[in-house]
Amino acid sequence: MSAKRRADPRATGRFEREGRTFFAKVVEIDAAARLDAERDGLAALASTSTVRVPAFFEEGSDDERAWLLLEWLELGPLDAAGGAALGADFAALHRVPQKRFGWERDNFIGGSAQANGWSDDWLAFWREKRLVAQLRLAAKNRLPSKTIDRGERLAADCEAFFRHYTPAKSLLHGDLWGGNAGQLAGGTPALFDPAVYVGDREADLAMTTLFGGFPPDFHAAYHAAWPLDDGYRVRRDFYNIYHLLNHANLFAGGYVAQAQAAIERSLAEIG
């Protein structure tokens, strides 16, 4: 990244320069890799010509900070029509053919590092790079041993969820909660703050049910465009354990109990 000597952002948020409006993301220089990963994720989503994301304009740095300038999008919450449009767009994104599971670089899920790499085996990728990675972090963070022990049992036995199901290879947003989606004044939906990788589309859809923010029209439109497998409702809890463990590792509190409950529901499904 090249250092810039003209007016540069000092804080994350709306930024005006030379008569143009941008959204500036500013981090300490040691966290510059986060901005590189976000830029690459937005580029990957934009390359599919399926979902609206903010355009990239510039990266820069000085001795203390790094910044990313993106298109400023004036976004409001999704309404019924915007949710339906996003559901159709999201299905189109997931239908774009991909060659392998994983991603070419590591990135970030919220405040946590997210390891990637390429794999031909979806379950092996998810188990090691997502579920087991969070369980190892949970042990380091001294979360309850029962959560870790039961999570490890689930990791060992989770192939049961895939005996009659073979996931398609889909480009995922990777961090799709309601706070990372909105719509423009004309009704066009948009996504931002991705944690992209190629995986099972069900993992993306599962997260949209975890923290709210998506109207029923979103799910109805997605299902109409590309119906989900009958086993999705069983695997939904299994996939959301990753995000619940991540939140437990970051924030502790009630997320620990939520992660434990999701692990127990998934183990009950296995029997």
Side-chain angles (χ1 to χ4, degrees), residues 80-162:
L86 181 58
D89 291 348
F90 208 48
L93 167 68
H94 287 165
R95 280 190 176 276
V96 175
Q98 305 294 328
K99 294 180 179 179
R100 301 184 72 189
F101 296 112
W103 194 240
E104 61 192 7
R105 61 169 297 164
D106 295 344
N107 48 23
F108 299 86
I109 180 74
S112 302
Q114 179 172 264
N116 290 306
W118 293 113
S119 177
D120 292 316
D121 186 332
W122 165 245
L123 181 54
F125 176 87
W126 182 266
R127 179 160 41 199
E128 184 64 24
K129 301 292 189 178
R130 298 295 181 262
L131 185 54
V132 171
Q134 286 294 328
L135 290 169
R136 287 174 180 154
L137 188 56
K140 182 179 179 180
N141 290 334
R142 299 185 179 179
L143 295 189
S145 59
K146 179 179 179 182
T147 301
I148 298 164
D149 293 344
R150 298 290 279 173
E152 289 175 345
R153 178 184 166 188
L154 178 62
D157 295 341
C158 62
E159 63 271 9
F161 292 122
F162 299 89

Side-chain angles (χ1 to χ4, degrees), residues 179-224:
N180 287 344
Q183 67 183 62
L184 298 165
T188 300
L191 301 176
F192 47 94
D193 285 352
V196 301
Y197 62 99
V198 176
D200 182 359
R201 64 190 179 120
E202 290 186 353
D204 250 359
L205 269 294
M207 192 180 185
T208 66
T209 70
L210 190 55
F211 302 121
F214 293 87
D217 307 80
F218 167 84
H219 297 282
Y222 186 101
H223 191 77

Side-chain angles (χ1 to χ4, degrees), residues 164-192:
H164 306 292
Y165 172 68
T166 303
K169 300 178 182 70
S170 296
L171 180 64
L172 308 186
H173 176 280
D175 193 13
L176 195 58
W177 65 290
N180 287 344
Q183 67 183 62
L184 298 165
T188 300
L191 301 176
F192 47 94

